[in-house]
């Protein structure tokens, strides 16, 4: 399963703001994320996710869950009112424990099973920007065609395209995590920000890897961040398994997903790497975040 920012994915098909070219979706409610449940070579299941938080109590969360449902319902995948979704409201009190309220809305929709005669999704093809008509189409009442309601509707015509866009958007997020502009840009359409990222090529996408670390026995390509924590200097490394990085940098999303799926039982990992000198967290998608004190630094004060 992959979590994809909803606005980024939707921009490949809809103009969401006045800055986007195309007929704009004049509706500000949208889910924050899509959960794409996928398996190589098969249609994906797409679940909109709306999440909110508060410093109050359960009563506040009830209102937030009701509001979250409006956000989730702003995107339909398939039939009218049949898209499953997940709604969350998190209480973060000034004292006490954090409480997460969650609701699941079931539905028969969300599955990107292509209509008969449509081509299979090809995640290795370049992402295509569409201009989908805004609005969600309700079913007709008898012979009467009803006006669309505000939102974004992924109809069967766009299933293959949307599955490809979700795969590329997830890949772009991973490449941005490594600090590679060129590799990020190749997975985005213009409206998603292709030109914004198309200016810097990560060294790891070529024959030389000068920003890489060996962590838990594997090599990761990425970028370093140095900051201070109560005085001492801390190094944080964010990256992706070097083999997976090269696949995505070359646009081979299908092969990337095949490798990730094959290794799904060995990830994620969260442990201390003695050679690195700090904690290392490896996600199921092959990304890594590692933190350590720079040599010669005293431990942070609590």
């Amino acid at each position: 399963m992959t979590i994809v920012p909803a606005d980024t994915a939707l921009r490949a098909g809809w103009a969401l703001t006045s800055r986007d070219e195309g007929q704009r979706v004049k509706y500000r409610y949208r889910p924050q994320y899509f959960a794409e449940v996928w398996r190589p070579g098969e249609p994906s299941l797409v679940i909109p996710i709306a999440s909110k938080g508060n410093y109050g109590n359960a009563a506040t969360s009830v209102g937030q869950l009701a509001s979250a449902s409006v956000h989730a319902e702003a995107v339909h995948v398939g039939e009218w009112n049949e898209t499953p979704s997940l709604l969350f409201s998190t209480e973060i009190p000034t004292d006490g424990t954090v409480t997460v309220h969650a609701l699941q809305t079931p539905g028969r929709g969300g599955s990107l099973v292509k209509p008969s005669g449509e081509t299979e999704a090809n995640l290795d093809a370049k992402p295509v920007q569409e201009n989908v008509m805004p609005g969600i189409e309700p079913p007709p009442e008898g012979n009467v065609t009803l006006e669309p309601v505000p939102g974004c509707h992924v109809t069967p015509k766009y299933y293959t395209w949307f599955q490809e866009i979700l795969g590329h958007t997830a890949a772009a997020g991973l490449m941005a995590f490594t600090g590679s502009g060129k590799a990020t840009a190749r997975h985005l359409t213009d409206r998603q920000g292709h030109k914004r990222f198309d200016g810097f090529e990560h060294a790891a996408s070529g024959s030389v890897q000068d920003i890489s670390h060996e962590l838990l026995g594997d090599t990761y390509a990425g970028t370093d961040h140095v900051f201070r924590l109560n005085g001492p200097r801390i190094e944080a490394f964010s990256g992706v398994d070097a083999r997976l990085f090269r696949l995505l940098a070359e646009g081979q999303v299908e092969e990337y997903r095949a490798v990730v799926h094959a290794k799904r039982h060995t990830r994620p990992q969260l442990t201390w790497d003695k050679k690195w000198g700090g904690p290392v967290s490896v996600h199921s998608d092959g990304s890594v975040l590692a933190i350590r004190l720079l040599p010669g630094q005293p431990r942070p004060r609590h």
Side-chain angles (χ1 to χ4, degrees):
M1 183 179 72
T2 302
I3 303 297
V4 179
D7 269 16
T8 305
L10 292 173
R11 273 195 167 88
W14 292 266
L16 301 184
T17 69
S18 57
R19 293 175 297 177
D20 299 331
E21 294 183 3
Q23 186 171 349
R24 185 160 64 93
V25 177
K26 299 178 181 179
Y27 194 61
R28 64 186 181 90
Y29 297 105
R30 282 181 294 277
Q32 285 87 8
Y33 303 99
F34 293 122
E36 183 196 3
V37 184
W38 57 267
R39 182 179 293 174
E42 297 185 13
S44 297
L45 173 66
V46 182
I47 303 173
I49 298 175
S51 180
K52 295 176 177 287
N54 65 83
Y55 297 102
N57 51 34
T60 305
S61 287
V62 169
Q64 287 190 332
L65 290 171
S67 173
S69 69
V70 177
H71 288 262
E73 290 170 2
V75 175
H76 277 34
V77 180
E79 295 181 41
W80 169 263
N81 274 349
E82 287 291 343
T83 306
S85 63
L86 292 171
L87 313 178
F88 296 96
S89 175
T90 303
E91 294 175 36
I92 309 176
T94 54
D95 57 355
T97 58
V98 174
T99 304
V100 179
H101 301 269
L103 288 177
Q104 176 189 10
T105 61
R108 296 174 299 173
S111 181
L112 300 178
V113 178
K114 68 179 184 65
S116 177
E118 290 288 326
T119 58
E120 297 284 351
N122 177 12
L123 303 187
D124 291 346
K126 291 184 178 180
V128 175
Q129 182 165 295
E130 291 282 359
N131 288 291
V132 186
M133 184 65 66
I136 301 172
E137 303 171 9
E141 293 184 355
N143 295 324
V144 178
T145 300
L146 302 180
E147 289 292 322
V149 301
C152 301
H153 196 171
V154 183
T155 58
K157 173 184 177 181
Y158 294 104
Y159 282 176
T160 297
W161 163 81
F162 196 55
Q163 182 163 340
E164 293 172 354
I165 286 298
L166 289 173
H168 280 293
T169 303
L174 278 177
M175 295 295 92
F177 189 62
T178 70
S180 173
K182 286 280 188 180
T184 302
R186 76 174 302 144
H187 296 287
L188 297 174
T189 67
D190 285 345
R191 201 157 49 208
Q192 288 179 301
H194 172 88
K195 294 179 181 178
R196 185 184 313 148
F197 288 96
D198 189 22
F200 169 70
E201 186 62 75
H202 195 291
S205 63
S207 59
V208 179
Q209 296 182 10
D210 61 357
I211 308 178
S212 63
H213 288 290
E214 183 177 322
L215 302 166
L216 304 178
D218 293 316
T219 301
Y220 292 86
T223 187
D224 287 309
H225 313 267
V226 177
F227 57 94
R228 290 190 179 275
L229 181 62
N230 293 332
R233 297 172 68 205
I234 305 295
E235 178 185 8
F237 173 76
S238 60
V240 172
D241 180 287
R243 178 190 176 189
L244 299 178
F245 181 97
R246 287 191 292 272
L247 289 174
L248 292 180
E250 295 168 0
Q252 299 181 47
V253 183
E254 296 280 2
E255 179 65 17
Y256 160 80
R257 288 201 162 186
V259 174
V260 168
H261 187 264
K263 291 192 173 184
R264 66 190 184 281
H265 298 303
T266 61
R267 299 186 181 118
Q269 290 178 277
L270 176 59
T271 188
W272 188 276
D273 188 321
K274 291 183 178 180
K275 185 177 178 180
W276 162 258
V280 175
S281 175
V282 180
H283 195 262
S284 58
D285 59 7
S287 61
V288 67
L289 178 63
I291 300 176
R292 66 180 174 183
L293 281 170
L294 287 176
Q297 299 293 309
R299 291 191 174 278
R301 300 184 302 273
H302 296 287

